[in-house]
Each structure stands twice: as structure tokens, then as C-alpha cells.
Amino acid sequence: FGEPGDQRAEAYAVEGLGLCDLDQGRAEPARARFEEMLRLYRSAGNGMGEAHALRRIAGVELELGRYGEALRLLEQALPTFRAIGDRLSEAVVQMRMGECLVRQKRHDAARPVLEGVMTTFRDVGWRTCEGHVLRLTGEMLLADGDPDAAAAQLGESLRIFRDLQESLDVAETLRCLAETHVAKGNEEAATAARDEARGILVELGREL
């Protein structure tokens, strides 16, 4: 898998281990792996690898609720992808920036960012990211007091994730839909959504 001292190969392997940690809910160990990934790419002078590592660390910061730090890291990574014309990586970074803004309740700033990247994801047929943007938009609409519009966005997000069999995203979208049902006064639908989400997470060994 690479010659001894091949820092790029080592960084790639460390990234894989970090993704395994993250998938199993071990955020802090994942962050340590991605920090090592960043160190290796910087040592090798690999700017693209460094940008990817920054994006990975930002993802952990988002997971841990440190939205300001995540946004700072994403802002560092964005110019590299933009400079080389990597449209998809640029859009993913912007989507995550939009997510940070949503979590910070900065909806006026988040909305145009998410609308812009949705065009890219639909152009290339990247349905996973389309589902993420729909869910974030639904969360904003619910927070802004429009549960009917939120339910429409979240319902479409749920259909995408069910089609793709993305179990964790199905559970997260169901959780958001449950909140929407509560806002609409439909406790029965809210309970059903929460129960389905809980069942999925139990199967995955995750907590609601």
C-alpha cells in the first residue's frame, strides 16, 4: 500500500481509521486521527490533502457542537477546492458551512448558501447531499414557524434517504419530522416517527 515513508499513503490509511471511529460514534478519537492526517499532508506539502483533512476535522467539530470552530476550518479549506475547480468538493464544504450557520440560527446567511449548493447537487445527481440540504432547509423552516413547509422538505429528504438505504440519515430525518409533527399538533405521527428512528438507531448501536 505504498513505500515506507510514503506520507500520502499513511495519511490515507489514518483517514480511513478516523472514518471508522466517526461511524461508530467515537468523535474525539476520530478527531485525533484527522489531526494526524492533517499533519502528514502538511509535512508532505500536499495542499489538496490538507484541505480534505481540514474538512474532516470540521465534520467532527460539527458533530461535537463546536459550530464556530467548524466554520473556521471550512473557511480555510474552501479556497483550495475553489482554486483547482473541484466543484463537488467546494459544494460539500459550502453545504457544511451552511449547516454550521443553521446550527447557529443564522438562517438569513445559511439560506443562500444552501440554495446555491442544491443546484450543484441536482445538476450532478448527488442525491445524498440533496437529502442533507432538504433536511437542513426543513429544520430552518420549522424553526422559523412554518411546519407545513418544513414537513414537505423533510418528507422529500426522507424519501431520498430511504431510496439510498442510508439508515442513519433516515433516523435523523425521522427525528426532525417528529418535531414537525409536534408543531402541527399530531402527537400520534410524532410518536411513530420517533419510534421508527429509535428502532433504526438501536440496530446500528447508536443512541437517539
Side-chain angles (χ1 to χ4, degrees):
F1 183 69
E3 297 297 324
D6 185 342
Q7 291 176 309
R8 182 175 179 178
E10 187 178 349
Y12 186 81
V14 169
E15 179 184 17
L17 292 169
L19 290 172
C20 288
D21 283 330
L22 200 57
D23 188 56
Q24 295 175 32
R26 300 193 298 265
E28 290 292 0
R31 193 187 198 288
R33 301 278 195 192
F34 298 144
E35 289 279 7
E36 176 64 7
M37 174 188 171
L38 178 61
R39 186 193 67 78
L40 287 163
Y41 277 129
R42 279 181 172 164
S43 179
N46 187 320
M48 173 63 78
E50 183 177 339
H52 277 296
L54 288 167
R55 190 180 75 181
R56 293 296 190 201
I57 298 168
V60 178
E61 294 297 304
L62 255 170
E63 186 87 5
L64 294 172
R66 299 195 284 248
Y67 309 126
E69 177 63 10
L71 189 58
R72 183 186 69 81
L73 292 164
L74 291 165
E75 287 171 345
Q76 287 182 40
L78 184 62
T80 297
F81 296 121
R82 183 169 286 161
I84 65 171
D86 186 341
R87 185 184 178 203
L88 287 181
S89 292
E90 180 182 349
V92 170
V93 169
Q94 289 177 310
M95 179 185 72
R96 300 296 267 177
M97 291 171 70
E99 184 175 354
C100 292
L101 295 168
V102 171
R103 300 288 172 253
Q104 292 177 324
K105 305 187 187 306
R106 297 165 60 189
H107 294 176
D108 287 344
R111 195 167 287 108
V113 174
L114 294 175
E115 288 173 354
V117 298
M118 180 64 94
T119 300
T120 300
F121 295 140
R122 284 179 169 161
D123 283 349
V124 301
W126 198 346
R127 299 189 72 215
T128 297
C129 286
E130 183 181 347
H132 284 302
V133 174
L134 285 164
R135 187 169 68 212
L136 288 166
T137 303
E139 290 181 39
M140 282 195 294
L141 287 165
L142 179 59
D144 290 342
D146 192 347
D148 289 327
Q153 297 288 304
L154 292 168
E156 181 60 24
S157 176
L158 184 61
R159 282 189 288 274
I160 288 173
F161 289 131
R162 286 198 196 280
D163 286 348
L164 297 174
Q165 299 183 340
E166 297 280 0
S167 298
L168 192 57
D169 281 310
V170 168
E172 176 61 19
T173 307
L174 284 166
R175 184 192 64 76
C176 295
L177 265 174
E179 295 177 5
T180 302
H181 291 316
V182 169
K184 295 172 70 174
N186 192 337
E187 291 293 337
E188 184 177 351
T191 297
R194 281 194 295 263
D195 287 348
E196 185 182 354
R198 186 175 293 109
I200 292 169
L201 292 172
V202 167
E203 285 187 11
L204 297 173
R206 303 288 287 264
E207 296 182 1
L208 187 65

